Amino acid sequence: MKNLRKIVEEFSCEYVENYKKIWIKAKLNSKNDLLTLANALKKEGLRSLSTVSPTDFLEDHIMEVNYFFEDLETKRNLWLKIDLPRKVEECKVESLTPLFPSAAWHEREAFSMFGVEFLHHPDLRDILKSEDFRGVYPFRKDFDWGAHEKNQMQNIQQIVDAFKKEQEENEIELDPDSSETMLNWGPTHPASGPIRLRVHCDGEEVISIDPDIGYVWRALEHLVTKKDFVGAIVAVERLCFMDNINSMVGYCMAVEEIADVKITPFASWMRVLLGEVARVSSHFMGLGGFFNNIGLHTLGMWNMDTREFFLDFLESYSGARIATASIEPGGVRYGLDMSMFDELQKALDKFDTTVGEVEAIFVKNPTMKLRSDNVGILSKEDVHEFGLSGIVARASGVKTDIRIDEPYAAYDELDLKYITQEGGSANDRFMMLFRDIKQSIEIIKQAKFHIEKAVAEGEMNPTKDHMVKVPKKLPKGEAISRVEWARGEVLMHLVTEEKAKSPYRLKMRAPSFNHTMMLNHLLKGRTLSDIPLIFGSLYICQGDLDR
Amino acid sequence: MIDSLFAAFIFPGLLYVLLWTIGLFWFFRKFIASLHKRVGPSFNGKGGSYQTLFDLSKLLTKESITPDGVNPYLFSIMPLLALIIAMLPSAFIPWMDGLVVVDSSYGLLALVILIGIEPFLLFLTGFGSNNKYSFLGGVRILTQSISMETTFFLASLSPALLFGTMNLTEIVTSSSWLSFLILLPAFAIYFVALLGLLEQPPFNIPDAEQEIVYGFYTEYSGTNYFLLKLAEFAEFMAVFAGATTLFLGAYKGIYFDSYFFFFMKMLGIAVAMMTIRAATPRITLAQMLSFSWKYMVPLALLNLAWVLFAKSLWFMGA
């Protein structure tokens, strides 16, 4: 950490301060220093750029850009800020993509949403937003959403026209003498989900892939600013329906940090418990999805069967099976009736009785191994360079798990170890998912045991301890929080104004964004059959891809 | 006259094949549902047993869309042709003792050829669809059928070699426990080739929905899709019946001979196929090709040698 601090202090900074245990927060005075500093950071080992998040300060005429550098190995992180002029014509800064490939799409996003121009970016096109937002920047504070919505028919026409134009151009641009074609793999493809991959292929061979994303763009980061701090969880949990709890945990941690509130031990244990239940139910879908993508639906169905029991527990606790809205700033939303643990026990029993079958038939399946060994290999280097996280990173042997790196809720009191695979192939990612489920089940058992014991001894009151009061109005401030989400690292950057009733800016850095970036890298030169397999193995959810 | 009409339209003709096909369709769905631990719709009939009929009648009456830019005749006649060709083998099968419509001395040849040209018709459906995915599906189906049919033909020829006849009735009458054991390797090879020919997992490469959106099926809907599906299941039936006739002694039973045994043997093959379907993911085209040409074809040739050897040991002069 000292080295890192020294490096940053060499440049002219407004401030350099320690933030949390493993972060350094600094603000550069001049944007001209950015490239040199980034170079030095890369040499020091901070090889991943987690995300680029601009904040638009309308009154100060400042566009503040936040960079989050991470070192997955030594767990040292840097939060770097620079101020840019807010005017669109002057809002320019050097691109970090040539140094940090993981920045490519994040910079494109900042460009599309805020109009920050990144100089020397190799491919600075619009991303996420639909064609009717061409040339305007929807996340800027002076963007008039109401006026935009009024021209609905015109907007739709614009999208249709752009699509037709692209269809025509596709065929023209291709070399008429070659056998190259372009396939639209999605958005209504049986295995794609709402994403479109423009697959350039020659017969069965893939030449290149250009993902077109944004089909489920709901502008969640904008929606939260229209809600109060509690209401915002509804938008946050819709990051992805499959693991909604952990994203809420991340957001609530950021709010609590600004409000300076400490939650009760009971609430933090409940966050662990609920979070792991959500992780398990998400991983069940992931395991099933992996096999669905190579044409076998049995495991998906079996997992759905087991998953229902875990959803039953979530339902008994919160009344909802999927969108539970059960984590709130200040704790967890509901008290716990201890009989609800009976539902959980049923789910755990169901898992224990079925896991053997699943392992024998599917995890050790020879045909699956034939397909997925040596396919879609990600090296450790790739993980660092492209800022991958979660099971994808761990499958390549990189020890990264926010639950251990930067423990939140009650994870520091748990018995937790890094679990990794070495190969980095699609099969390793599948194995990683399966082992992650087993680990999560162990955590659930530990957490359940701990809560039951503490309640029996009278240390926790399950009906009263669940919430501490968080003021409705928050002071001016900003905070970041990271959680280990089912798909990897979610970083939330929350900014509030003085006496704020709602967030001023919330950036959600979601892992699927980085993972989707890898598709071209992994699929170039392979065959069409590998597209669904590799796509499925990256464990992408379009919800958090588009936000 | 009446006899031929009865044979053509009722048994073992149109009605019989249709009943078998729909029955097989129904059985597949129910069987795979239980393997999937899946609860299907239970509203129509007892325990949802009519569901398949409802689905089929729905498909049959739905609008059949012919896309722009295709040859409408090629597009619409192919499903019908595929269905008719898939139904024809039934005429050559000795369903019961002494009951075969066309008792030809080239029965085996007819059976094998009728089964073998089906993939080419499906290739034409993909070719006629004017869709990139369908075209890829068509190319895949050609690749696969050429590789798999070689094995299939070689395996189907072993009974003819063993018994020295291509007449299916004679093959059945001369089959015994001994011939069953001799033909066991041939049956195993036939079964694997059958999976490839019928595009069943792990060889469901031509209609891989996650890769090329069901391949040649992509543009088909309504009646035409129904006909294609029916053709697929009629083809199942033909291939199962072929396997039963060639290797398993058709209607021959343990204590008495009856159609019942024919039925159960076919069902047994169906169950085996479904179980593989429920536990095996798809392999890639390249893996299929190398599997077929590196292992299956040499094995099938070796098997021919084995059959000739066995014939010289036990069947010479008999």
Side-chain angles (χ1 to χ4, degrees):
Chain A
M1 289 301 274
K2 272 182 192 163
N3 275 349
L4 182 59
R5 204 177 160 131
K6 222 192 246 169
I7 290 172
V8 181
E9 274 167 351
E10 275 173 21
F11 296 85
S12 108
C13 293
E14 200 178 310
Y15 55 81
V16 181
E17 56 193 45
N18 288 341
Y19 175 73
K20 292 190 178 170
K21 269 182 196 154
I22 54 171
W23 285 85
I24 285 177
K25 184 177 169 185
K27 184 160 191 173
L28 272 183
N29 278 330
S30 157
K31 66 177 182 181
N32 300 331
D33 287 344
L34 182 68
L35 261 187
T36 12
L37 175 58
N39 248 324
L41 288 174
K42 199 176 177 190
K43 269 188 201 133
E44 178 59 23
L46 278 74
R47 282 182 284 171
S48 322
L49 180 57
S50 183
T51 190
V52 180
S53 152
T55 314
D56 182 15
F57 291 106
L58 188 60
E59 280 157 21
D60 303 340
H61 300 288
I62 283 172
M63 183 70 75
E64 185 191 69
V65 186
N66 298 273
Y67 293 89
F68 301 95
F69 296 93
E70 292 181 0
D71 181 355
L72 301 176
E73 236 149 52
T74 58
K75 322 293 175 202
R76 295 170 305 165
N77 307 303
L78 174 70
W79 175 5
L80 188 71
K81 290 160 167 280
I82 46 169
D83 281 345
L84 299 178
R86 202 181 157 275
K87 263 186 155 175
V88 179
E89 299 80 42
E90 294 161 20
C91 193
K92 290 175 185 174
V93 68
E94 277 297 321
S95 164
L96 291 187
T97 308
L99 283 174
F100 297 86
S102 59
W105 282 21
H106 293 282
E107 289 187 338
R108 278 174 72 184
E109 189 190 346
F111 167 70
S112 331
M113 300 305 173
F114 288 91
V116 182
E117 195 183 332
F118 293 90
L119 303 167
H120 305 114
H121 188 290
D123 183 25
L124 198 62
R125 285 174 295 156
D126 277 337
I127 196 167
L128 286 174
K129 62 182 184 183
S130 49
E131 277 74 10
D132 50 325
F133 288 99
R134 283 271 157 85
V136 293
Y137 305 107
F139 282 5
R140 286 196 163 221
K141 287 286 171 187
D142 52 1
F143 180 74
D144 190 350
W145 286 83
H148 184 83
E149 289 301 308
K150 270 188 192 138
N151 298 328
Q152 209 173 22
M153 289 319 289
Q154 207 184 320
N155 294 341
I156 292 172
Q157 194 56 46
Q158 230 165 329
I159 296 173
V160 173
D161 289 345
F163 185 74
K164 282 188 175 158
K165 188 161 164 272
E166 199 202 309
Q167 280 302 81
E168 279 168 20
E169 281 171 5
N170 276 337
E171 299 300 328
I172 295 169
E173 277 173 12
L174 296 176
D175 179 5
D177 293 331
S178 79
S179 51
E180 184 183 339
T181 47
M182 208 205 76
L183 287 176
N184 280 321
W185 202 81
T188 51
H189 187 285
S192 69
I195 181 178
R196 179 164 70 111
L197 306 181
R198 300 189 194 91
V199 182
H200 285 267
C201 58
D202 187 358
E204 291 275 327
E205 195 184 328
V206 177
I207 297 169
S208 71
I209 284 187
D210 179 21
D212 174 19
I213 64 172
Y215 286 89
V216 284
W217 180 56
R218 296 146 293 170
L220 289 179
E221 290 163 0
H222 170 74
L223 275 182
V224 289
T225 62
K226 299 285 167 209
K227 298 185 182 287
D228 59 19
F229 287 104
V230 175
I233 59 169
V234 179
V236 171
E237 75 171 336
R238 272 152 184 77
L239 201 53
C240 178
F241 76 93
M242 289 198 272
D243 176 5
N244 53 3
I245 305 268
N246 286 314
S247 55
M248 288 189 281
V249 169
Y251 164 75
C252 294
M253 274 156 46
V255 173
E256 285 149 14
E257 190 184 322
I258 293 175
D260 201 15
V261 169
K262 203 171 173 336
I263 61 168
T264 60
F266 174 71
S268 53
W269 277 100
M270 278 306 284
R271 282 185 180 181
V272 170
L273 185 86
L274 292 168
E276 295 304 321
V277 169
R279 189 188 315 279
V280 167
S281 56
S282 171
H283 280 4
F284 275 141
M285 301 274 284
L287 278 182
F290 182 88
F291 265 100
N292 283 352
N293 282 342
I294 43 177
L296 179 61
H297 298 282
T298 316
L299 180 62
M301 299 289 175
W302 287 19
N303 278 349
M304 283 300 212
D305 183 33
T306 320
R307 181 171 171 264
E308 286 299 297
F309 287 81
F310 287 91
L311 296 187
D312 280 347
F313 167 67
L314 287 182
E315 187 185 6
S316 73
Y317 175 70
S318 70
R321 298 172 77 79
I322 305 285
T324 55
S326 56
I327 313 285
E328 227 178 79
V332 288
R333 193 175 195 127
Y334 310 101
L336 180 75
D337 182 347
M338 291 310 277
S339 65
M340 289 168 187
F341 272 173
D342 296 346
E343 293 281 348
L344 185 60
Q345 191 55 48
K346 266 189 221 160
L348 293 171
D349 291 344
K350 173 80 182 174
F351 177 81
D352 287 339
T353 51
T354 50
V355 67
E357 282 177 358
V358 170
E359 192 157 10
I361 301 176
F362 299 102
V363 178
K364 293 179 179 162
N365 193 307
T367 321
M368 187 272 281
K369 290 219 168 94
L370 190 72
R371 275 300 301 273
S372 58
D373 264 349
N374 304 319
V375 172
I377 293 182
L378 285 169
S379 64
K380 275 188 185 177
E381 201 48 43
D382 291 335
V383 172
H384 286 289
E385 275 199 353
F386 291 93
L388 309 180
S389 52
I391 61 125
V392 177
R394 292 201 287 277
S396 299
V398 177
K399 288 187 175 169
T400 163
D401 189 334
I402 312 292
R403 290 173 290 180
I404 308 172
D405 299 345
E406 199 179 359
Y408 56 95
Y411 281 109
D412 45 351
E413 295 171 52
L414 279 163
D415 178 24
L416 256 182
K417 277 197 196 75
Y418 291 110
I419 44 170
T420 52
Q421 290 278 120
E422 280 310 311
S425 67
N427 186 25
D428 284 305
R429 289 195 279 279
F430 176 81
M431 288 302 297
M432 202 50 234
L433 263 180
F434 185 68
R435 292 175 61 197
D436 225 40
I437 289 188
K438 281 183 160 178
Q439 191 193 32
S440 290
I441 295 283
E442 284 310 310
I443 298 175
I444 294 174
K445 283 177 182 164
Q446 282 184 44
K448 178 169 173 280
F449 177 76
H450 185 95
I451 293 175
E452 277 171 342
K453 201 175 122 201
V455 168
E457 285 171 1
E459 286 168 16
M460 286 179 185
N461 185 340
T463 48
K464 284 189 182 146
D465 277 356
H466 60 97
M467 281 284 265
V468 287
K469 214 166 156 31
V470 174
K472 279 234 164 86
K473 289 182 183 171
L474 258 55
K476 184 177 170 70
E478 61 177 330
I480 57 169
S481 64
R482 293 197 299 166
V483 288
E484 180 71 19
W485 198 47
R487 284 173 190 73
E489 170 197 327
V490 166
L491 187 147
M492 302 250 180
H493 172 219
L494 180 69
V495 184
T496 54
E497 294 279 80
E498 193 59 52
K499 287 188 185 167
K501 284 182 185 163
S502 52
Y504 184 75
R505 157 89 171 135
L506 176 72
K507 165 75 189 175
M508 297 189 271
R509 182 266 190 200
S512 296
F513 207 58
N514 286 45
H515 296 169
T516 311
M517 235 189 284
M518 302 305 297
L519 281 174
N520 186 37
H521 177 82
L522 287 177
L523 283 165
K524 215 187 288 173
R526 300 211 62 95
T527 59
L528 284 182
S529 310
D530 291 328
I531 299 179
L533 174 68
I534 289 176
F535 184 77
S537 78
L538 286 174
Y539 198 22
I540 289 162
C541 171
Q542 283 80 6
D544 78 289
L545 177 62
D546 293 351
R547 281 155 286 140
Chain B
M1 176 68 185
I2 301 257
D3 275 2
S4 354
L5 277 181
F6 180 81
F9 286 103
I10 307 207
F11 182 81
L14 190 65
L15 190 67
Y16 172 72
V17 177
L18 273 182
L19 270 180
W20 240 110
T21 319
I22 293 168
L24 211 55
F25 200 90
W26 177 84
F27 175 72
F28 274 17
R29 296 182 72 175
K30 291 293 170 191
F31 186 69
I32 204 118
S34 64
L35 287 183
H36 277 172
K37 300 186 186 171
R38 185 156 49 86
V39 187
S42 61
F43 314 110
N44 302 319
K46 201 167 182 247
S49 47
Y50 296 169
Q51 185 64 33
T52 305
L53 289 178
F54 278 74
D55 281 349
L56 287 177
S57 55
K58 178 204 75 176
L59 266 183
L60 187 62
T61 50
K62 257 183 156 179
E63 186 191 358
S64 189
I65 298 165
T66 310
D68 268 355
V70 308
N71 181 341
Y73 300 105
L74 184 67
F75 184 80
S76 298
I77 205 149
M78 273 306 151
L80 198 60
L81 209 58
L83 179 61
I84 292 170
I85 299 282
M87 280 176 158
L88 283 182
S90 175
F92 297 89
I93 305 280
W95 291 103
M96 280 188 256
D97 198 3
L99 200 152
V100 51
V101 180
V102 187
D103 193 6
S104 151
S105 48
Y106 298 104
L108 173 61
L109 209 56
L111 185 74
V112 162
I113 285 174
L114 285 174
I115 290 170
I117 59 170
E118 188 77 7
F120 294 92
L121 298 177
L122 297 181
F123 160 72
L124 281 178
T125 63
F127 191 70
S129 286
N130 189 26
N131 176 310
K132 291 173 192 167
Y133 284 117
S134 300
F135 184 70
L136 280 171
V139 172
R140 280 180 174 203
I141 212 170
L142 266 193
T143 321
Q144 175 152 327
S145 57
I146 289 170
S147 329
M148 279 303 181
E149 274 179 8
T150 317
T151 322
F152 181 78
F153 289 163
L154 287 175
S156 336
L157 284 179
S158 4
L161 269 181
L162 187 67
F163 302 122
T165 172
M166 280 204 179
N167 187 324
L168 289 172
T169 321
E170 276 177 38
I171 288 180
V172 172
T173 42
S174 44
S175 66
S176 61
W177 279 108
L178 177 65
S179 75
F180 168 70
L181 288 178
I182 293 171
L183 290 175
L184 211 51
F187 176 55
I189 293 169
Y190 181 98
F191 183 75
V192 175
L194 159 167
L195 293 179
L197 211 61
L198 298 177
E199 291 133 38
Q200 286 301 304
F203 304 111
N204 53 346
I205 302 161
D207 56 356
E209 71 265 36
Q210 291 89 355
E211 290 162 23
I212 50 169
V213 204
Y214 291 102
F216 55 90
Y217 281 127
T218 308
E219 292 291 352
Y220 281 94
S221 57
T223 316
N224 280 338
Y225 179 76
F226 168 80
L227 290 176
L228 272 178
K229 261 297 172 216
L230 220 54
E232 186 189 334
F233 277 83
E235 179 84 356
F236 282 175
M237 177 204 170
V239 176
F240 294 166
T244 315
T245 314
L246 292 175
F247 305 103
L248 304 181
Y251 49 80
K252 282 190 172 174
I254 299 174
Y255 294 112
F256 56 95
D257 296 349
S258 144
Y259 176 72
F260 172 74
F261 287 106
F262 204 115
F263 185 81
M264 291 316 284
K265 284 168 187 170
M266 278 174 76
L267 223 52
I269 301 175
V271 165
M273 196 176 97
M274 281 292 100
T275 315
I276 290 176
R277 186 190 183 133
T280 319
R282 179 188 312 122
I283 60 174
T284 65
L285 195 62
Q287 283 166 341
M288 188 277 299
L289 280 174
S290 84
F291 174 74
S292 164
W293 293 106
K294 274 189 199 154
Y295 302 101
M296 291 313 287
V297 174
L299 268 181
L301 289 170
L302 269 183
N303 172 60
L304 283 189
W306 151 249
V307 170
L308 283 177
F309 172 71
K311 180 176 178 171
S312 66
L313 269 188
W314 293 297
F315 280 79
M316 270 307 181

